[in-house]
Amino acid sequence: MQDLADIGLTPRQIQVLGLMIEGMPNKLICRELGISDGTAKTHISTILRLLGVKNRTQAVFALSQMGIRLPRRPPKTQA
């Protein structure tokens, strides 16, 4: 089993990848992480390039082929 850091992903890119896998669109990823749309797009492009894929669906498949599982996010609590 490979580790995401082993393929060159930063901790922030791993966070973005986790949200991508949950099906979040870029706008929600930006809100969740407090980053700009441009930053999110840069992270996503880098993630796809490092995984050797062209889209989010292929990224999910590539991760499963590598045996990589991302940690689940704790549910948000209502304030």
Side-chain angles (χ1 to χ4, degrees), residues 5 19 21 24 27 32 40 43 46 50 53 55-56 58:
L19 297 175
I21 288 174
M24 283 193 178
K27 282 187 180 185
E32 181 75 25
H43 284 318
T46 301
L50 289 172
V53 299
N55 60 51
R56 293 172 185 231
Q58 290 176 348

Side-chain angles (χ1 to χ4, degrees), residues 37-57:
D37 188 53
T39 300
K41 287 179 181 178
T42 298
H43 284 318
I44 292 167
S45 293
T46 301
I47 291 164
L48 297 178
R49 182 176 48 77
L50 289 172
L51 291 173
V53 299
K54 295 183 184 204
N55 60 51
R56 293 172 185 231
T57 303

Side-chain angles (χ1 to χ4, degrees), residues 59-70:
V60 172
F61 184 73
L63 290 174
S64 72
Q65 292 295 104
M66 293 179 207
I68 294 174
R69 291 189 178 208
L70 292 173

